[in-house]
Amino acid sequence: MRIGEAAAAVGMTTKAIRFYEDRGLLPPAERSANGYRDYAHDTVSRLEFIRRSQLAGLSLAQIQGILRVRDNGITPCTHVQDVLGKQLMDLDRQIAELTALRATVAEHYATAEAADPECCDAEQICSYV
Amino acid sequence: MRIGEAAAAVGMTTKAIRFYEDRGLLPPAERSANGYRDYAHDTVSRLEFIRRSQLAGLSLAQIQGILRVRDNGITPCTHVQDVLGKQLMDLDRQIAELTALRATVAEHYATAEAADPECCDAEQICSYV
DNA sequence: ATTGACCTTCCACCAAGGGGGAAGGTCAAG
DNA sequence: CTTGACCTTCCCCCTTGGTGGAAGGTCAAT
């Protein structure tokens, strides 16, 4: 199948598919006699795996790591578990950071609600932040 | 004061200060006879305001908006409250998104822990994602 | 007079994940 | 035989918040 069909099959753009090939997430495509990329059906599975992984918030680099393991003939289960574990820790860290930031901003907001606008000192631009 | 002194006073790089000027967060600097930027003391306050605002997670565009209001001679209190309110909503949205993503990833992770590695189907690369 | 520490401008680069569009080749249908 | 829909490679563009370096000017101290 040609790149446009593969793209339509998984709901990606042809640009994205070429980009993934360029980044090493897809092996260099087979070519038809006219030079067009010619994909086997398993490429669709691979693209769908990339999509599922992205939905799990994995970066292309992480996805590439998993695919490389699979391409070496090893079942990537252990590696995937590692990556998912790291991803969980990373998400927890991000959520904690955002939650802390939210508390700070909420505090500023409460100050701004309670304060007297006339007390604004031009020197420090704004005392609520 | 010269740019290096201003930078040292607030713990920024000279690069960052020129960048802020370029982005319109600072007015075009006064120049000494030799062409060097020559800052008045209130620039330091302005830079500190920028820093405080960044610590509250505001983007340079948002900070610029606040400074523009202040530069128009208006006390930016109301505008700042608006921006902080938007920031709170934005943070809540981001936290909700990350929390939902975390739940998804945790589910994948639990599946991976419970599943039999031998059931791995090469066709779909990895059934845990 | 020359070194060193400043300063100036401008241009390039980084993360991530692609999108836009040019210039050109290929192929089937009307 | 020409039109339209594909495909190819190529390079530039976007976001945000800067950083790095080159090429050159300025100034105080040695």
Side-chain angles (χ1 to χ4, degrees), chain A residues 76-104:
Chain A
C77 312
T78 311
H79 184 66
V80 166
Q81 232 178 312
D82 273 11
V83 171
L84 290 180
K86 281 199 185 64
Q87 179 71 353
L88 275 181
M89 288 196 301
D90 204 44
L91 286 171
D92 285 338
R93 189 185 45 73
Q94 286 182 50
I95 291 171
E97 278 174 14
L98 284 180
T99 302
L101 181 56
R102 194 211 182 276
T104 305

PDB file of all heavy atoms in Angstrom, chain A residues 76-104:
ATOM      1  N   PRO A  76       9.115  -6.909  24.133  1.00  0.00           N
ATOM      2  CA  PRO A  76       9.497  -5.698  24.850  1.00  0.00           C
ATOM      3  C   PRO A  76       8.771  -5.519  26.179  1.00  0.00           C
ATOM      4  O   PRO A  76       8.852  -4.450  26.791  1.00  0.00           O
ATOM      5  CB  PRO A  76       9.095  -4.590  23.870  1.00  0.00           C
ATOM      6  CG  PRO A  76       7.947  -5.155  23.110  1.00  0.00           C
ATOM      7  CD  PRO A  76       8.132  -6.630  23.072  1.00  0.00           C
ATOM      8  N   CYS A  77       8.105  -6.566  26.677  1.00  0.00           N
ATOM      9  CA  CYS A  77       7.260  -6.450  27.868  1.00  0.00           C
ATOM     10  C   CYS A  77       7.983  -5.770  29.028  1.00  0.00           C
ATOM     11  O   CYS A  77       7.489  -4.799  29.606  1.00  0.00           O
ATOM     12  CB  CYS A  77       6.810  -7.826  28.325  1.00  0.00           C
ATOM     13  SG  CYS A  77       6.174  -8.844  26.976  1.00  0.00           S
ATOM     14  N   THR A  78       9.138  -6.282  29.381  1.00  0.00           N
ATOM     15  CA  THR A  78       9.861  -5.747  30.527  1.00  0.00           C
ATOM     16  C   THR A  78      10.225  -4.296  30.305  1.00  0.00           C
ATOM     17  O   THR A  78      10.059  -3.446  31.181  1.00  0.00           O
ATOM     18  CB  THR A  78      11.145  -6.567  30.756  1.00  0.00           C
ATOM     19  OG1 THR A  78      10.812  -7.942  30.752  1.00  0.00           O
ATOM     20  CG2 THR A  78      11.781  -6.191  32.070  1.00  0.00           C
ATOM     21  N   HIS A  79      10.708  -4.035  29.099  1.00  0.00           N
ATOM     22  CA  HIS A  79      11.098  -2.673  28.755  1.00  0.00           C
ATOM     23  C   HIS A  79       9.886  -1.742  28.818  1.00  0.00           C
ATOM     24  O   HIS A  79       9.967  -0.626  29.343  1.00  0.00           O
ATOM     25  CB  HIS A  79      11.721  -2.654  27.369  1.00  0.00           C
ATOM     26  CG  HIS A  79      12.232  -1.324  26.953  1.00  0.00           C
ATOM     27  ND1 HIS A  79      13.285  -0.706  27.577  1.00  0.00           N
ATOM     28  CD2 HIS A  79      11.812  -0.464  25.989  1.00  0.00           C
ATOM     29  CE1 HIS A  79      13.500   0.468  27.011  1.00  0.00           C
ATOM     30  NE2 HIS A  79      12.612   0.640  26.048  1.00  0.00           N
ATOM     31  N   VAL A  80       8.768  -2.214  28.302  1.00  0.00           N
ATOM     32  CA  VAL A  80       7.548  -1.397  28.311  1.00  0.00           C
ATOM     33  C   VAL A  80       7.132  -1.094  29.747  1.00  0.00           C
ATOM     34  O   VAL A  80       6.742   0.033  30.071  1.00  0.00           O
ATOM     35  CB  VAL A  80       6.410  -2.125  27.556  1.00  0.00           C
ATOM     36  CG1 VAL A  80       5.066  -1.467  27.843  1.00  0.00           C
ATOM     37  CG2 VAL A  80       6.687  -2.119  26.062  1.00  0.00           C
ATOM     38  N   GLN A  81       7.248  -2.108  30.596  1.00  0.00           N
ATOM     39  CA  GLN A  81       6.887  -1.891  31.996  1.00  0.00           C
ATOM     40  C   GLN A  81       7.788  -0.831  32.625  1.00  0.00           C
ATOM     41  O   GLN A  81       7.317   0.042  33.361  1.00  0.00           O
ATOM     42  CB  GLN A  81       7.021  -3.216  32.756  1.00  0.00           C
ATOM     43  CG  GLN A  81       5.756  -3.573  33.532  1.00  0.00           C
ATOM     44  CD  GLN A  81       5.913  -4.901  34.224  1.00  0.00           C
ATOM     45  OE1 GLN A  81       6.354  -5.865  33.603  1.00  0.00           O
ATOM     46  NE2 GLN A  81       5.561  -4.949  35.496  1.00  0.00           N
ATOM     47  N   ASP A  82       9.066  -0.910  32.318  1.00  0.00           N
ATOM     48  CA  ASP A  82      10.013   0.115  32.784  1.00  0.00           C
ATOM     49  C   ASP A  82       9.574   1.503  32.339  1.00  0.00           C
ATOM     50  O   ASP A  82       9.515   2.448  33.129  1.00  0.00           O
ATOM     51  CB  ASP A  82      11.408  -0.138  32.186  1.00  0.00           C
ATOM     52  CG  ASP A  82      12.208  -1.082  33.042  1.00  0.00           C
ATOM     53  OD1 ASP A  82      11.619  -1.693  33.964  1.00  0.00           O
ATOM     54  OD2 ASP A  82      13.423  -1.226  32.786  1.00  0.00           O
ATOM     55  N   VAL A  83       9.306   1.612  31.044  1.00  0.00           N
ATOM     56  CA  VAL A  83       8.940   2.913  30.478  1.00  0.00           C
ATOM     57  C   VAL A  83       7.651   3.424  31.120  1.00  0.00           C
ATOM     58  O   VAL A  83       7.549   4.606  31.471  1.00  0.00           O
ATOM     59  CB  VAL A  83       8.783   2.804  28.946  1.00  0.00           C
ATOM     60  CG1 VAL A  83       8.195   4.086  28.373  1.00  0.00           C
ATOM     61  CG2 VAL A  83      10.122   2.497  28.293  1.00  0.00           C
ATOM     62  N   LEU A  84       6.679   2.532  31.276  1.00  0.00           N
ATOM     63  CA  LEU A  84       5.414   2.957  31.887  1.00  0.00           C
ATOM     64  C   LEU A  84       5.637   3.385  33.337  1.00  0.00           C
ATOM     65  O   LEU A  84       5.037   4.357  33.806  1.00  0.00           O
ATOM     66  CB  LEU A  84       4.390   1.827  31.819  1.00  0.00           C
ATOM     67  CG  LEU A  84       3.848   1.504  30.418  1.00  0.00           C
ATOM     68  CD1 LEU A  84       2.843   0.354  30.483  1.00  0.00           C
ATOM     69  CD2 LEU A  84       3.204   2.731  29.778  1.00  0.00           C
ATOM     70  N   GLY A  85       6.502   2.670  34.028  1.00  0.00           N
ATOM     71  CA  GLY A  85       6.810   3.044  35.406  1.00  0.00           C
ATOM     72  C   GLY A  85       7.446   4.424  35.477  1.00  0.00           C
ATOM     73  O   GLY A  85       7.057   5.256  36.303  1.00  0.00           O
ATOM     74  N   LYS A  86       8.401   4.666  34.589  1.00  0.00           N
ATOM     75  CA  LYS A  86       9.025   5.995  34.533  1.00  0.00           C
ATOM     76  C   LYS A  86       7.996   7.061  34.204  1.00  0.00           C
ATOM     77  O   LYS A  86       8.013   8.160  34.764  1.00  0.00           O
ATOM     78  CB  LYS A  86      10.136   6.010  33.478  1.00  0.00           C
ATOM     79  CG  LYS A  86      11.445   5.378  33.921  1.00  0.00           C
ATOM     80  CD  LYS A  86      12.593   5.848  33.028  1.00  0.00           C
ATOM     81  CE  LYS A  86      13.894   5.133  33.391  1.00  0.00           C
ATOM     82  NZ  LYS A  86      13.802   3.656  33.129  1.00  0.00           N
ATOM     83  N   GLN A  87       7.124   6.720  33.277  1.00  0.00           N
ATOM     84  CA  GLN A  87       6.090   7.660  32.856  1.00  0.00           C
ATOM     85  C   GLN A  87       5.177   8.003  34.034  1.00  0.00           C
ATOM     86  O   GLN A  87       4.801   9.170  34.220  1.00  0.00           O
ATOM     87  CB  GLN A  87       5.289   7.041  31.707  1.00  0.00           C
ATOM     88  CG  GLN A  87       4.163   7.897  31.169  1.00  0.00           C
ATOM     89  CD  GLN A  87       4.697   9.084  30.385  1.00  0.00           C
ATOM     90  OE1 GLN A  87       5.897   9.342  30.350  1.00  0.00           O
ATOM     91  NE2 GLN A  87       3.785   9.811  29.764  1.00  0.00           N
ATOM     92  N   LEU A  88       4.832   6.998  34.839  1.00  0.00           N
ATOM     93  CA  LEU A  88       3.988   7.236  36.020  1.00  0.00           C
ATOM     94  C   LEU A  88       4.686   8.181  36.988  1.00  0.00           C
ATOM     95  O   LEU A  88       4.083   9.135  37.495  1.00  0.00           O
ATOM     96  CB  LEU A  88       3.685   5.916  36.726  1.00  0.00           C
ATOM     97  CG  LEU A  88       2.499   5.120  36.185  1.00  0.00           C
ATOM     98  CD1 LEU A  88       2.307   3.846  36.991  1.00  0.00           C
ATOM     99  CD2 LEU A  88       1.233   5.972  36.196  1.00  0.00           C
ATOM    100  N   MET A  89       5.962   7.928  37.225  1.00  0.00           N
ATOM    101  CA  MET A  89       6.702   8.799  38.150  1.00  0.00           C
ATOM    102  C   MET A  89       6.786  10.213  37.603  1.00  0.00           C
ATOM    103  O   MET A  89       6.649  11.192  38.331  1.00  0.00           O
ATOM    104  CB  MET A  89       8.105   8.238  38.382  1.00  0.00           C
ATOM    105  CG  MET A  89       8.087   6.968  39.236  1.00  0.00           C
ATOM    106  SD  MET A  89       9.707   6.559  39.894  1.00  0.00           S
ATOM    107  CE  MET A  89      10.652   6.374  38.385  1.00  0.00           C
ATOM    108  N   ASP A  90       7.017  10.299  36.291  1.00  0.00           N
ATOM    109  CA  ASP A  90       7.120  11.607  35.655  1.00  0.00           C
ATOM    110  C   ASP A  90       5.791  12.356  35.758  1.00  0.00           C
ATOM    111  O   ASP A  90       5.764  13.559  36.058  1.00  0.00           O
ATOM    112  CB  ASP A  90       7.510  11.412  34.195  1.00  0.00           C
ATOM    113  CG  ASP A  90       8.183  12.624  33.617  1.00  0.00           C
ATOM    114  OD1 ASP A  90       9.046  13.194  34.314  1.00  0.00           O
ATOM    115  OD2 ASP A  90       7.835  13.010  32.491  1.00  0.00           O
ATOM    116  N   LEU A  91       4.706  11.648  35.525  1.00  0.00           N
ATOM    117  CA  LEU A  91       3.382  12.285  35.613  1.00  0.00           C
ATOM    118  C   LEU A  91       3.115  12.739  37.042  1.00  0.00           C
ATOM    119  O   LEU A  91       2.597  13.839  37.265  1.00  0.00           O
ATOM    120  CB  LEU A  91       2.297  11.315  35.143  1.00  0.00           C
ATOM    121  CG  LEU A  91       2.245  11.083  33.630  1.00  0.00           C
ATOM    122  CD1 LEU A  91       1.290   9.948  33.288  1.00  0.00           C
ATOM    123  CD2 LEU A  91       1.832  12.359  32.913  1.00  0.00           C
ATOM    124  N   ASP A  92       3.487  11.906  38.000  1.00  0.00           N
ATOM    125  CA  ASP A  92       3.280  12.280  39.397  1.00  0.00           C
ATOM    126  C   ASP A  92       4.066  13.542  39.740  1.00  0.00           C
ATOM    127  O   ASP A  92       3.563  14.429  40.430  1.00  0.00           O
ATOM    128  CB  ASP A  92       3.704  11.126  40.316  1.00  0.00           C
ATOM    129  CG  ASP A  92       2.679  10.009  40.307  1.00  0.00           C
ATOM    130  OD1 ASP A  92       1.514  10.283  39.952  1.00  0.00           O
ATOM    131  OD2 ASP A  92       3.025   8.862  40.654  1.00  0.00           O
ATOM    132  N   ARG A  93       5.269  13.609  39.234  1.00  0.00           N
ATOM    133  CA  ARG A  93       6.086  14.790  39.491  1.00  0.00           C
ATOM    134  C   ARG A  93       5.459  16.031  38.864  1.00  0.00           C
ATOM    135  O   ARG A  93       5.323  17.079  39.506  1.00  0.00           O
ATOM    136  CB  ARG A  93       7.498  14.563  38.927  1.00  0.00           C
ATOM    137  CG  ARG A  93       8.512  15.633  39.317  1.00  0.00           C
ATOM    138  CD  ARG A  93       9.846  15.398  38.616  1.00  0.00           C
ATOM    139  NE  ARG A  93       9.689  15.092  37.206  1.00  0.00           N
ATOM    140  CZ  ARG A  93       9.357  15.992  36.283  1.00  0.00           C
ATOM    141  NH1 ARG A  93       9.121  17.232  36.619  1.00  0.00           N
ATOM    142  NH2 ARG A  93       9.247  15.628  35.014  1.00  0.00           N
ATOM    143  N   GLN A  94       5.028  15.898  37.599  1.00  0.00           N
ATOM    144  CA  GLN A  94       4.400  17.039  36.917  1.00  0.00           C
ATOM    145  C   GLN A  94       3.136  17.483  37.634  1.00  0.00           C
ATOM    146  O   GLN A  94       2.884  18.677  37.788  1.00  0.00           O
ATOM    147  CB  GLN A  94       4.055  16.664  35.476  1.00  0.00           C
ATOM    148  CG  GLN A  94       5.247  16.583  34.548  1.00  0.00           C
ATOM    149  CD  GLN A  94       4.805  16.261  33.121  1.00  0.00           C
ATOM    150  OE1 GLN A  94       3.913  16.889  32.575  1.00  0.00           O
ATOM    151  NE2 GLN A  94       5.415  15.249  32.534  1.00  0.00           N
ATOM    152  N   ILE A  95       2.335  16.511  38.060  1.00  0.00           N
ATOM    153  CA  ILE A  95       1.079  16.855  38.744  1.00  0.00           C
ATOM    154  C   ILE A  95       1.392  17.558  40.060  1.00  0.00           C
ATOM    155  O   ILE A  95       0.759  18.558  40.411  1.00  0.00           O
ATOM    156  CB  ILE A  95       0.236  15.585  38.973  1.00  0.00           C
ATOM    157  CG1 ILE A  95      -0.287  15.058  37.637  1.00  0.00           C
ATOM    158  CG2 ILE A  95      -0.928  15.878  39.917  1.00  0.00           C
ATOM    159  CD1 ILE A  95      -0.942  13.686  37.715  1.00  0.00           C
ATOM    160  N   ALA A  96       2.396  17.069  40.764  1.00  0.00           N
ATOM    161  CA  ALA A  96       2.779  17.704  42.030  1.00  0.00           C
ATOM    162  C   ALA A  96       3.246  19.138  41.792  1.00  0.00           C
ATOM    163  O   ALA A  96       2.872  20.060  42.524  1.00  0.00           O
ATOM    164  CB  ALA A  96       3.880  16.885  42.699  1.00  0.00           C
ATOM    165  N   GLU A  97       4.050  19.330  40.741  1.00  0.00           N
ATOM    166  CA  GLU A  97       4.542  20.675  40.429  1.00  0.00           C
ATOM    167  C   GLU A  97       3.390  21.615  40.108  1.00  0.00           C
ATOM    168  O   GLU A  97       3.324  22.744  40.611  1.00  0.00           O
ATOM    169  CB  GLU A  97       5.509  20.626  39.245  1.00  0.00           C
ATOM    170  CG  GLU A  97       6.922  20.225  39.642  1.00  0.00           C
ATOM    171  CD  GLU A  97       7.818  20.053  38.422  1.00  0.00           C
ATOM    172  OE1 GLU A  97       7.442  20.482  37.314  1.00  0.00           O
ATOM    173  OE2 GLU A  97       8.911  19.454  38.571  1.00  0.00           O
ATOM    174  N   LEU A  98       2.491  21.137  39.261  1.00  0.00           N
ATOM    175  CA  LEU A  98       1.364  21.983  38.863  1.00  0.00           C
ATOM    176  C   LEU A  98       0.463  22.274  40.050  1.00  0.00           C
ATOM    177  O   LEU A  98      -0.072  23.375  40.191  1.00  0.00           O
ATOM    178  CB  LEU A  98       0.562  21.319  37.744  1.00  0.00           C
ATOM    179  CG  LEU A  98       1.201  21.367  36.366  1.00  0.00           C
ATOM    180  CD1 LEU A  98       0.308  20.690  35.345  1.00  0.00           C
ATOM    181  CD2 LEU A  98       1.470  22.802  35.956  1.00  0.00           C
ATOM    182  N   THR A  99       0.295  21.300  40.922  1.00  0.00           N
ATOM    183  CA  THR A  99      -0.555  21.500  42.092  1.00  0.00           C
ATOM    184  C   THR A  99       0.060  22.539  43.026  1.00  0.00           C
ATOM    185  O   THR A  99      -0.641  23.409  43.557  1.00  0.00           O
ATOM    186  CB  THR A  99      -0.749  20.157  42.820  1.00  0.00           C
ATOM    187  OG1 THR A  99      -1.320  19.223  41.903  1.00  0.00           O
ATOM    188  CG2 THR A  99      -1.678  20.318  44.011  1.00  0.00           C
ATOM    189  N   ALA A 100       1.375  22.461  43.194  1.00  0.00           N
ATOM    190  CA  ALA A 100       2.058  23.457  44.019  1.00  0.00           C
ATOM    191  C   ALA A 100       1.925  24.843  43.397  1.00  0.00           C
ATOM    192  O   ALA A 100       1.648  25.834  44.085  1.00  0.00           O
ATOM    193  CB  ALA A 100       3.531  23.073  44.174  1.00  0.00           C
ATOM    194  N   LEU A 101       2.105  24.894  42.092  1.00  0.00           N
ATOM    195  CA  LEU A 101       1.981  26.172  41.397  1.00  0.00           C
ATOM    196  C   LEU A 101       0.565  26.718  41.536  1.00  0.00           C
ATOM    197  O   LEU A 101       0.353  27.910  41.767  1.00  0.00           O
ATOM    198  CB  LEU A 101       2.335  25.993  39.922  1.00  0.00           C
ATOM    199  CG  LEU A 101       2.265  27.256  39.064  1.00  0.00           C
ATOM    200  CD1 LEU A 101       3.143  28.352  39.630  1.00  0.00           C
ATOM    201  CD2 LEU A 101       2.666  26.938  37.626  1.00  0.00           C
ATOM    202  N   ARG A 102      -0.402  25.828  41.440  1.00  0.00           N
ATOM    203  CA  ARG A 102      -1.795  26.242  41.577  1.00  0.00           C
ATOM    204  C   ARG A 102      -2.042  26.857  42.952  1.00  0.00           C
ATOM    205  O   ARG A 102      -2.746  27.857  43.081  1.00  0.00           O
ATOM    206  CB  ARG A 102      -2.737  25.057  41.384  1.00  0.00           C
ATOM    207  CG  ARG A 102      -4.166  25.494  41.180  1.00  0.00           C
ATOM    208  CD  ARG A 102      -5.194  24.523  41.703  1.00  0.00           C
ATOM    209  NE  ARG A 102      -6.524  25.010  41.408  1.00  0.00           N
ATOM    210  CZ  ARG A 102      -7.187  25.880  42.147  1.00  0.00           C
ATOM    211  NH1 ARG A 102      -6.630  26.391  43.240  1.00  0.00           N
ATOM    212  NH2 ARG A 102      -8.384  26.288  41.805  1.00  0.00           N
ATOM    213  N   ALA A 103      -1.451  26.260  43.979  1.00  0.00           N
ATOM    214  CA  ALA A 103      -1.614  26.794  45.333  1.00  0.00           C
ATOM    215  C   ALA A 103      -1.038  28.199  45.419  1.00  0.00           C
ATOM    216  O   ALA A 103      -1.652  29.107  45.995  1.00  0.00           O
ATOM    217  CB  ALA A 103      -0.936  25.865  46.336  1.00  0.00           C
ATOM    218  N   THR A 104       0.137  28.375  44.833  1.00  0.00           N
ATOM    219  CA  THR A 104       0.763  29.692  44.834  1.00  0.00           C
ATOM    220  C   THR A 104      -0.120  30.718  44.136  1.00  0.00           C
ATOM    221  O   THR A 104      -0.368  31.809  44.656  1.00  0.00           O
ATOM    222  CB  THR A 104       2.119  29.632  44.099  1.00  0.00           C
ATOM    223  OG1 THR A 104       2.920  28.623  44.700  1.00  0.00           O
ATOM    224  CG2 THR A 104       2.831  30.968  44.161  1.00  0.00           C
TER     225      THR A 104
END
